[in-house]
């Protein structure tokens, strides 16, 4: 819907007719995708720094968490649009990605794509791939605490993540902690 809205607004307000085929082909450009990803990361970083400089830190009452990036994440899927490409078997699935809410700043960001609707994917392997890629990235020394539902619980995999300072807490973990207190 957003793409169609963009095209309609472009034509109605600015009087510019942009052919649908040109617009949708440009969305498949790896160069443009890389540029948008870099823009998103820089924008997120700048907004985070601005909020912190203004004293916004929703978890500052817990100084033991100062070294961590803490994100509550979950997958979100939506029905496909009428012009979503079909896969080789003529099927279209719900499109979706994983979104993360920074619990320190309150900023929400798109974390990673699970599926564009042409294939059926599970979010957990995609999240793992994203974290593994992050482990190899520039800021791999940053400690992360992910708040996720219990579906992401895999004790063996998360145990290996300790060496990268990646940890996960779920509602199941919170319930266990509550009963121990």
């Amino acid at each position: 819907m957003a793409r169609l809205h963009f095209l309609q607004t472009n034509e109605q307000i600015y009087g510019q007719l942009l052919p649908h085929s040109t617009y949708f082909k440009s969305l498949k450009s790896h160069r443009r995708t890389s540029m948008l990803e870099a823009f998103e990361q820089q924008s997120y970083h700048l907004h985070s720094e601005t909020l912190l400089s203004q004293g916004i830190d929703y978890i500052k009452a817990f100084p033991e968490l100062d070294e961590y990036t803490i994100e509550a994440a979950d997958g979100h899927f939506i029905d496909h649009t009428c012009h979503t490409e079909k896969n080789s078997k003529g099927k279209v699935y719900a499109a979706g990605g994983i979104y993360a809410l920074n619990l320190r700043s309150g900023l929400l960001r798109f974390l990673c794509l699970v599926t564009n609707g042409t294939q059926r994917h599970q979010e957990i392997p995609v999240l793992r791939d994203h974290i593994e890629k992050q482990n190899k990235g520039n800021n791999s020394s940053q400690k992360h605490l992910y708040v996720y539902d219990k579906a992401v619980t895999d004790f063996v995999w998360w145990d290996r993540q300790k060496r990268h300072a990646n940890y996960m807490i779920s509602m199941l973990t919170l319930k266990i902690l509550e009963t121990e207190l």
Side-chain angles (χ1 to χ4, degrees), residues 73-132:
D74 200 10
H76 179 70
F77 293 80
I78 57 173
D79 285 336
H80 61 85
T81 59
C82 60
H83 52 271
T84 300
E85 292 181 28
K86 294 180 178 175
N87 68 11
S88 61
K89 296 179 181 175
K91 290 189 175 189
V92 178
Y93 300 99
I98 299 174
Y99 295 82
L101 177 68
N102 185 312
L103 296 181
R104 188 173 305 284
S105 66
L107 289 176
L108 180 70
R109 71 181 178 125
F110 180 80
L111 198 63
C112 55
L113 179 69
V114 175
T115 179
N116 65 2
T118 58
Q119 297 177 340
R120 178 174 287 193
H121 286 291
Q122 299 297 321
E123 67 186 81
I124 306 311
V126 174
L127 175 67
R128 286 183 190 159
D129 289 346
H130 171 78
I131 293 172
E132 293 287 353

Side-chain angles (χ1 to χ4, degrees), residues 60-77:
K60 65 182 165 194
F62 306 98
E64 59 275 11
L65 298 175
D66 285 349
E67 299 176 13
Y68 289 86
T69 296
I70 305 172
E71 294 179 309
D74 200 10
H76 179 70
F77 293 80

Side-chain angles (χ1 to χ4, degrees), residues 131-143:
I131 293 172
E132 293 287 353
K133 200 180 304 180
Q134 183 175 276
N135 291 341
K136 297 174 185 170
N138 296 341
N139 198 10
S140 59
S141 62
Q142 177 65 40
K143 295 180 179 182

Side-chain angles (χ1 to χ4, degrees), residues 1-8 23-24 27 81 83-84 116:
M1 289 304 274
R3 296 179 219 167
L4 185 57
H5 181 262
F6 171 79
L7 293 172
Q8 289 173 339
Y23 178 77
F24 289 110
L27 292 176
T81 59
H83 52 271
T84 300
N116 65 2

